[in-house]
Amino acid sequence: MRRLWLILAMLLATALTPARAQEADAAEEEFDVTHFIFGHIGDAYEWHITEIKGKEISIPLPCIVIDDGLHVFSSRKMEEHGYTLNADGKLVNAATGARPVDISITKNVLGLIFDSILLVLLILLCARWYKRHDVLKEKPTGLAALLEPLIVMIENDVIKDAVGPEYKKFSPYLLTAFFFILINNLMGIFPVFPGGANITGNIAVTGVMALFTFLMVNLFGNKHYWKDILWPDVPLFLKAIPIMPVIEILGMFTKPFSLMIRLFANMLAGHIMLLSVIALIFLTAALGPVLNGSMTVVAALFGVFLDCLEILVAFLQAYVFTMLSAVFIGLAHPHPETETN
């Protein structure tokens, strides 16, 4: 009798497996994981807010293109003006397929504007408190109490130690870089508008930040720095070939390149990991309420954990970028006579 029930159970399972597999395949076709993940971390000509009963709620952004003149229009009226998006999500001329000069206010651009305004407001409000109070008689409160420890820590423990005696000249840039990256990292984690834009996960933004560091290092490097690059203290044949100068010149470019890739890759990977965990909820929707319910709980808990981890990573990446930039600037200001004495 037990064998009969076992055979029946196996036949039932075999009969149900294809149906369950078809349901799962249908769910996968319905839910595009690639579109879900890259739609959130990629740039766009509108700011997606949410979706209610199949209707997408989004904020249209202004498209500004130069193509036989200047054209300004809403992203919702793109087709009316003769433009469309290609397979890469870039705006192109619908008739010719050619890409115009595109200076549109995209999602990342608008997020960058919001975050920059937020940074300026935070600094100005903090400066306003110090202007109105005597710091020798009373301790900072409110926003000033929050920002002062961060500013003192970055300047004294990072910039001053890495750059050396001339650190005050470079403190404004390095502190601005730290808070700019930190605010953009944190706003990228915040899921509600105007947060959620993947700014520091965009290689163009991290590339510009690395370029600023490159310019600070090489435009303000002293004569000892350039001597070590163009005529280093190595055997003459290494300078005559020249092997070491070429290696040193390559090093000038690999340092900012590593800054660009490190910040971009870490922030992008964090967003992809978090979105991949959330995607499990939708991918398991066709596998039954028990499995889907349990995976939803696991994904939600793991998502909260990853969010907390991302807050730590947001601070660490801003700290690492600032520290390495300060180290590179400090290496461009060696003082051999001071070290000898």
Side-chain angles (χ1 to χ4, degrees):
M1 189 67 177
R2 288 181 182 177
R3 288 183 181 180
L4 180 60
W5 281 113
L6 182 60
I7 293 169
L8 288 173
M10 290 175 64
L11 290 173
L12 183 62
T14 306
L16 290 177
T17 299
R20 182 59 57 84
Q22 287 175 2
E23 288 178 12
D25 290 341
E28 275 189 38
E29 289 177 7
E30 217 174 281
F31 179 73
D32 189 348
V33 182
T34 304
H35 177 74
F36 172 75
I37 294 176
F38 288 95
H40 280 77
I41 64 176
D43 204 358
Y45 290 91
E46 59 181 13
W47 198 307
H48 175 80
I49 304 297
T50 187
E51 189 174 319
I52 300 175
K53 295 181 179 179
K55 185 178 180 182
E56 185 176 336
I57 308 298
S58 61
I59 300 173
L61 300 175
C63 295
I64 308 170
V65 297
I66 301 174
D67 184 20
D68 296 331
L70 181 66
H71 302 276
V72 182
F73 50 89
S74 169
S75 59
R76 286 185 180 169
K77 297 183 178 180
M78 193 179 294
E79 294 182 0
E80 296 177 17
H81 288 78
Y83 294 94
T84 186
L85 299 180
N86 62 12
D88 298 326
K90 303 296 183 182
L91 190 146
V92 296
N93 190 304
T96 63
R99 286 194 61 189
V101 177
D102 189 359
I103 52 174
S104 304
I105 306 298
T106 60
K107 179 181 177 181
N108 283 348
V109 174
L110 185 60
L112 195 58
I113 293 170
F114 273 124
D115 297 349
S116 299
I117 292 172
L118 178 61
L119 174 61
V120 171
L121 285 175
L122 289 175
I123 299 302
L124 290 180
L125 289 173
C126 182
R128 182 186 179 190
W129 188 94
Y130 283 98
K131 186 177 179 181
R132 295 186 174 187
H133 298 81
D134 187 352
V135 293
L136 299 177
K137 295 181 181 178
E138 54 183 312
K139 61 182 181 180
T141 57
L143 184 62
L146 176 66
L147 294 182
E148 183 180 322
L150 274 176
I151 295 170
V152 172
M153 180 192 73
I154 296 299
E155 184 168 53
N156 291 342
D157 298 341
V158 177
I159 301 173
K160 186 176 180 180
D161 290 345
V163 176
E166 301 177 7
Y167 76 96
K168 287 189 177 180
K169 183 166 65 173
F170 301 98
S171 285
Y173 164 68
L174 292 169
L175 284 168
T176 302
F178 172 79
F179 282 102
F180 176 80
I181 294 171
L182 179 62
I183 287 173
N184 279 290
N185 287 351
L186 293 175
M187 289 297 289
I189 302 169
F190 190 66
V192 183
F193 178 83
N198 184 33
I199 296 172
T200 45
N202 187 313
I203 199 167
V205 175
T206 60
V208 171
M209 294 293 298
L211 177 63
F212 287 154
T213 295
F214 175 80
L215 294 175
M216 295 293 285
V217 169
N218 294 285
L219 292 181
F220 300 102
N222 61 20
K223 61 181 181 179
H224 302 291
Y225 167 71
W226 288 107
K227 178 184 175 298
D228 288 340
I229 289 177
L230 301 176
W231 200 254
D233 294 328
V234 295
L236 185 60
F237 74 91
L238 292 175
K239 291 185 280 191
I241 295 178
I243 296 176
M244 290 306 297
V246 171
I247 293 173
E248 292 292 339
I249 291 171
L250 286 175
M252 290 169 52
F253 296 95
T254 55
K255 289 173 184 175
F257 181 78
S258 68
L259 282 179
M260 173 184 71
I261 296 299
R262 180 182 288 105
L263 179 58
F264 158 72
N266 277 284
M267 298 313 300
L268 183 66
H271 286 286
I272 291 176
M273 274 177 37
L274 182 58
L275 290 168
S276 298
V277 169
I278 300 301
L280 288 175
I281 299 172
F282 305 99
L283 286 173
T284 57
L287 300 179
V290 176
L291 184 58
N292 181 238
S294 59
M295 288 304 298
T296 299
V297 173
V298 171
L301 293 175
F302 198 52
V304 171
F305 168 75
L306 286 177
D307 254 338
C308 296
L309 186 63
E310 276 292 289
I311 294 173
L312 176 61
V313 171
F315 174 82
L316 286 177
Q317 289 305 314
Y319 182 89
V320 168
F321 187 97
T322 308
M323 180 188 67
L324 290 176
S325 296
V327 168
F328 296 155
I329 292 171
L331 291 173
H333 294 79
H335 298 279
E337 64 279 358
T338 305
E339 294 174 5
T340 305
N341 295 334

